[in-house]
Amino acid sequence: MADAFSVIPASVLRNLSDKLYEKRKNAALEIEGIVKQLASSGDHEKISAVIKLLATEFTDSPQANHRKGGLIGLAAATVGLSSEAAQHLEQIVPPVLSSFSDQDSRVRYYACEALYNIAKVVRGDFIIFFNKIFDALCKLSADADANVQSAAHLLDRLVKDIVTESDQFSIEEFIPLLRERMNVLNPYVRQFLVGWITVLDSVPDIDMLGFLPDFLDGLFNMLSDSSREIRQQADSALSEFLLEIKNSPSVDYGRMAEILVQRAAALDEFTRLTAITWINEFVKLGGDQLFPYYADILGAILPCISDKEEKIRVVARETNEALRSIEANPTENFDVGGILSIARRQLDSEWEATRIEALHWISTLLTRHRAEVLCFLNDIFDTLLKALSDSSDEVVLLVLDIHACIAQDPLHFRQLVVFLVHNFRIDHSLLERRGALIIRRLCVLLDAERVYRELSTILEGEADLDFACVMVQALNLILLTSSELSELRELLKQSLVNAAGKDLFVSLYASWCHSPMAIISLCLLAQTYQHACAVIQSLVEEDINAKFLVQLDKLIRLLETPVFAYLRLQLLEPRQYIWLLKALYGLLMLLPQQSSAFKVLRRRLKTVPSYSFGGGNLKRAASGNPHSQILHHSGSQITEDGDIDQDNGNLQSGINFASLQQFKQMQQQHHMLAKSRAQSRNSSTSILKEGPK
């Protein structure tokens, strides 16, 4: 220190701390000259002493003017050292950097000016301090003082020039600092950061693309900045990087895909659009690198398909189609279970378009990777069943397509029908709203006869009798009205002459016994009119209630539809179809005379021609107790309508109704349940009337 005082005159040191700038400036020029002389003589020891004096006695001084003078002095010393300044930078730069955080804005300004002058002299040699300088500039870019900001910008431009021409700059050491600063929200700092990213990316020898995953999230974060200028700068930088990705043979898609997936769910529309656009390009370019990330990418795409912004919807749909068109092998890190999990989760989306695309994915996976999907069936089956209650018909139809695909295996077919009946049982509204749609679609996809046989088998042993009755009535109505079941109806019409038809009739009969009206309808469809008469005459008071009459009203109106055209034509031969005529008259007798159904059926029966009646035959058929004759026949097979006077003899139906006691037994169970409920209600009413004792 003593050497420094001996080298620099006291007057110079005094002027260096003067409050007047001109005196400080003149003192700095004298220090520059002194250092230059010392450098020319090679006396670096004294130079170090001078620098130390300036740092300790001036830049560390509590007096602001001293600190200002110290900064000017350090810059002047560097200028005096010229080409030999590099060996003293370890002494010169740290005090200047410390002054960047000085409380006095003028001191911070002079620090910027000093470092600017130092950098002009040493150029690339001060790269070793780059991270510290960058950190200081980052803070100064948001300085409260406009003059300091202006000085920092000038210094920043110079540092950028030096870095771009330097071969000593280490991008690897810089990236951690950049990554840390990318989360800053200050708009001035953000502009500063984007500026540096753009500059470094323009340097051919610096591979910024390789480090893009480290600061990509920060750039996306800037897309939602309140400043339009910052948004534009971030978007411009991202566009440039995306162009580089398209032209680069080696890109780390995986790490960036994770960031893009998160940003695709951002609240800001522009951020979502940019993220989904990047994902779109990644799907086209990434290939097998993206296999492990397909599930996450799908999780980002599906919600965007229903985005309120049309541009986002368009890109999301395009990306979704591109992703689904790629056929991957599960052995290639293609996570079938993960994709199924995402699709299942998106089935709960409030948006119909998203739910539809989720179902398309499940269907695609079933087609391509059936074995793998079935391994995860327990994870998705309940959700698929719940989707049958969806408000969208298109969703329900797609769910049914998937169920049908799963149900190609007998085990899964049985499981599907059982679960379907269970869902109808616990949610009657589902049966009312979607029952017909679901059953009809399954009949198309899985064969109507197979579906109806399975349903009948399940309902035959149904413990909830009320539900069984309602379900059978629904199935019966679908059977009688749906175009998809026309072949099934044709088969049932041949029940008396065809073994397959008879077998189907017997299969349905077992569960149709839950509903008298369903049995009557089935008998009319199968042309087993004699048994229809027996069922009608077996009805007791408990059977003929409001619900029964509603069902009867529906049947009468169905008799006027094309489905029962054959039956109406048979009325042209009443002598040959005596039991049909008697069954219809039996139904007429059950209807209230003032009802519209009564009038419809009566008008129809009035059109029956009387010329073909054989009085004796009709009288004989109508006499006695047909109910007794049919239900309690001794076991011989009964001849049905249409078999009279045929040349080839009586054609036997092959259906032994005497041994089919299901109807009587089933109806007895329903009667007992009704009586039990009536007794419970009466008991409750009595208790309420008696009141507390």
Side-chain angles (χ1 to χ4, degrees):
M1 190 72 71
D3 289 342
F5 283 113
S6 64
V7 171
I8 303 176
S11 60
V12 173
L13 294 175
R14 187 167 54 251
N15 288 336
L16 192 62
S17 61
D18 197 276
K19 64 180 180 179
L20 295 176
Y21 172 73
E22 286 299 324
K23 288 187 177 182
R24 294 198 302 271
K25 181 180 178 182
N26 291 331
L29 289 173
E30 290 191 42
I31 291 174
E32 179 185 337
I34 293 170
V35 170
K36 187 179 293 185
Q37 289 179 355
L38 292 173
S40 63
S41 63
D43 196 346
H44 287 279
E45 185 177 346
K46 287 184 179 180
I47 294 173
S48 295
V50 170
I51 295 172
K52 185 176 181 182
L53 171 67
L54 293 172
T56 56
E57 297 297 323
F58 285 85
T59 60
D60 288 344
S61 171
Q63 300 297 321
N65 289 329
H66 279 67
R67 298 197 296 275
K68 295 174 188 176
L71 290 168
I72 297 175
L74 288 171
T78 306
V79 174
L81 283 166
S82 185
S83 60
E84 298 182 50
Q87 59 185 302
H88 294 282
L89 286 180
E90 291 287 351
Q91 282 183 286
I92 297 172
V93 174
V96 179
L97 291 176
S98 298
S99 299
F100 280 142
S101 57
D102 197 283
Q103 292 182 346
D104 191 321
S105 62
R106 295 304 296 168
V107 173
R108 297 197 299 275
Y109 176 85
Y110 282 113
C112 290
E113 185 181 72
L115 192 60
Y116 182 89
N117 291 324
I118 294 169
K120 283 179 65 177
V121 173
V122 299
R123 303 295 292 186
D125 288 330
F126 94 138
I127 288 294
I128 58 174
F129 298 100
F130 174 77
N131 276 14
K132 292 180 179 179
I133 295 172
F134 178 87
D135 192 38
L137 286 173
C138 188
K139 295 172 183 175
L140 288 177
S141 64
D143 198 280
D145 189 281
N147 290 325
V148 175
Q149 277 195 20
S150 178
H153 289 159
L154 287 173
L155 174 60
D156 181 52
R157 283 201 290 270
L158 176 60
V159 174
K160 284 175 180 172
D161 290 341
I162 294 172
V163 168
T164 55
E165 66 187 27
S166 172
D167 58 358
Q168 300 177 39
F169 176 73
S170 173
I171 185 67
E172 290 82 2
E173 294 179 7
F174 168 64
I175 287 298
L177 177 61
L178 176 63
R179 181 173 59 241
E180 181 184 340
R181 290 289 178 267
M182 290 300 288
N183 294 322
V184 176
L185 299 179
N186 186 283
Y188 296 107
V189 175
R190 283 184 162 183
Q191 280 186 305
F192 171 79
L193 294 172
V194 175
W196 267 101
I197 290 171
T198 304
V199 167
L200 292 176
D201 187 46
S202 66
V203 180
D205 294 334
I206 298 177
D207 180 24
M208 284 295 281
L209 183 60
F211 295 96
L212 181 57
D214 291 287
F215 55 87
L216 179 63
D217 189 59
L219 283 175
F220 267 93
N221 204 26
M222 294 179 190
L223 293 176
S224 59
D225 195 277
S226 57
S227 168
R228 181 180 180 184
E229 186 177 358
I230 293 175
R231 293 198 302 271
Q232 289 177 337
Q233 289 178 352
D235 181 47
S236 177
L238 285 168
S239 298
E240 184 62 31
F241 277 119
L242 186 58
L243 185 61
E244 291 178 30
I245 288 172
K246 293 179 182 178
N247 298 323
S248 175
S250 176
V251 178
D252 183 4
Y253 291 101
R255 285 180 61 197
M256 289 189 285
E258 295 175 355
I259 296 169
L260 296 175
V261 165
Q262 295 177 355
R263 288 299 169 182
L267 295 176
D268 179 66
E269 290 182 6
F270 187 50
T271 303
R272 293 201 305 277
L273 176 59
T274 307
I276 204 70
T277 301
W278 273 61
I279 291 175
N280 180 273
E281 294 296 337
F282 275 29
V283 169
K284 296 175 183 176
L285 301 169
D288 55 5
Q289 284 191 51
L290 288 177
F291 283 168
Y293 304 96
Y294 267 26
D296 292 334
I297 291 174
L298 183 63
I301 294 172
L302 290 180
C304 288
I305 286 175
S306 302
D307 198 279
K308 60 183 178 181
E309 179 62 41
E310 183 180 0
K311 291 181 180 178
I312 296 176
R313 295 198 301 271
V314 170
V315 178
R317 286 191 175 279
E318 179 185 330
T319 309
N320 183 56
E321 292 302 321
L323 190 66
R324 198 162 55 216
S325 66
I326 300 173
E327 295 193 20
N329 193 315
T331 59
E332 301 173 343
N333 293 322
F334 183 72
D335 186 5
V336 173
I339 294 177
L340 279 175
S341 179
I342 292 294
R344 177 184 59 79
R345 198 179 312 146
Q346 292 301 326
L347 286 179
D348 293 328
S349 169
E350 61 178 310
W351 306 110
E352 177 185 356
T354 294
R355 300 197 300 274
I356 288 173
E357 290 306 318
L359 289 169
H360 280 310
W361 266 99
I362 296 175
S363 180
T364 299
L365 290 176
L366 260 174
T367 303
R368 296 178 183 171
H369 312 290
R370 180 178 178 83
E372 289 78 7
V373 172
L374 293 181
C375 291
F376 297 98
L377 188 58
N378 290 336
D379 297 334
I380 64 172
F381 200 77
D382 287 344
T383 304
L384 288 173
L385 284 172
K386 189 172 72 171
L388 292 172
S389 303
D390 197 277
S391 57
S392 165
D393 284 352
E394 186 174 355
V395 169
V396 173
L397 291 174
L398 283 171
V399 172
L400 289 172
D401 287 348
I402 293 171
H403 277 303
C405 187
I406 295 172
Q408 290 174 3
D409 303 324
L411 176 62
H412 293 130
F413 173 76
R414 169 74 179 180
Q415 187 181 15
L416 167 63
V417 180
V418 168
F419 271 97
L420 192 59
V421 171
H422 172 72
N423 273 24
F424 285 146
R425 184 189 304 110
I426 61 176
D427 184 6
H428 285 199
S429 63
L430 174 63
L431 180 59
E432 295 171 5
R433 292 182 293 105
R434 288 278 187 266
L437 177 67
I438 292 171
I439 298 300
R440 289 168 59 186
R441 186 61 181 167
L442 285 180
C443 286
V444 170
L445 298 170
L446 293 173
D447 180 59
E449 181 177 353
R450 185 185 180 198
V451 171
Y452 261 70
R453 282 179 178 272
E454 193 64 46
L455 285 168
S456 181
T457 301
I458 295 170
L459 291 172
E460 181 183 357
E462 176 60 46
D464 187 343
L465 298 181
D466 289 339
F467 163 71
C469 182
V470 172
M471 184 74 188
V472 165
Q473 289 170 357
L475 292 174
N476 184 64
L477 186 62
I478 296 169
L479 174 64
L480 297 178
T481 58
S482 301
S483 58
E484 294 88 347
L485 276 72
S486 59
E487 293 184 6
L488 201 62
R489 289 195 294 271
E490 289 301 318
L491 183 58
L492 283 168
K493 288 177 186 177
Q494 303 175 42
S495 297
L496 299 178
V497 296
N498 182 296
K502 181 195 76 171
D503 189 50
L504 176 60
F505 176 84
V506 172
S507 176
L508 298 184
Y509 186 98
S511 59
W512 258 238
C513 288
H514 282 291
S515 169
M517 193 48 59
I519 278 290
I520 294 170
S521 303
L522 184 64
C523 289
L524 293 179
L525 184 62
Q527 303 186 59
T528 56
Y529 303 132
Q530 207 169 12
H531 190 63
C533 287
V535 171
I536 292 170
Q537 294 194 357
S538 73
L539 298 176
V540 295
E541 182 179 347
E542 292 98 322
D543 297 318
I544 307 172
N545 50 33
K547 292 181 180 179
F548 174 85
L549 292 175
V550 170
Q551 293 295 318
L552 179 54
D553 184 279
K554 290 180 181 178
L555 175 60
I556 298 306
R557 297 185 188 283
L558 284 173
L559 291 177
E560 297 297 317
T561 63
V563 171
F564 284 102
Y566 71 93
L567 182 148
R568 299 195 299 275
L569 291 173
Q570 287 173 349
L571 291 176
L572 293 173
E573 302 292 340
R575 179 172 174 273
Q576 189 173 349
Y577 295 96
I578 296 172
W579 293 109
L580 168 59
L581 195 62
K582 189 171 182 180
L584 294 179
Y585 269 108
L587 296 177
L588 186 68
M589 295 303 111
L590 296 176
L591 287 165
Q593 293 190 50
Q594 299 304 316
S595 66
S596 58
F598 178 88
K599 296 172 184 177
V600 169
L601 182 54
R602 185 176 62 175
R603 283 198 301 270
R604 174 60 64 187
L605 290 173
K606 281 184 178 180
T607 63
V608 176
S610 57
Y611 63 83
S612 57
F613 276 112
N617 288 329
L618 183 59
K619 182 177 180 181
R620 286 194 303 274
S623 64
N625 186 347
H627 175 229
S628 174
Q629 294 175 13
I630 298 166
L631 287 183
H632 301 289
H633 197 271
S634 60
S636 61
Q637 293 180 321
I638 304 300
T639 302
E640 283 284 355
D641 281 350
D643 298 335
I644 300 174
D645 297 333
Q646 293 191 23
D647 295 337
N648 60 349
N650 291 339
L651 181 62
Q652 301 297 310
S653 69
I655 303 175
N656 189 348
F657 287 110
S659 64
L660 291 176
Q661 298 295 318
Q662 293 105 315
F663 179 71
K664 291 176 63 179
Q665 294 170 358
M666 191 66 74
Q667 288 307 303
Q668 186 176 4
Q669 293 180 37
H670 281 270
H671 295 161
M672 290 174 63
L673 177 62
K675 289 178 181 178
S676 175
R677 287 178 176 170
Q679 290 173 358
S680 297
R681 285 195 298 270
N682 293 336
S683 176
S684 299
T685 303
S686 299
I687 293 173
L688 289 173
K689 286 182 178 180
E690 290 177 6
K693 295 182 179 179

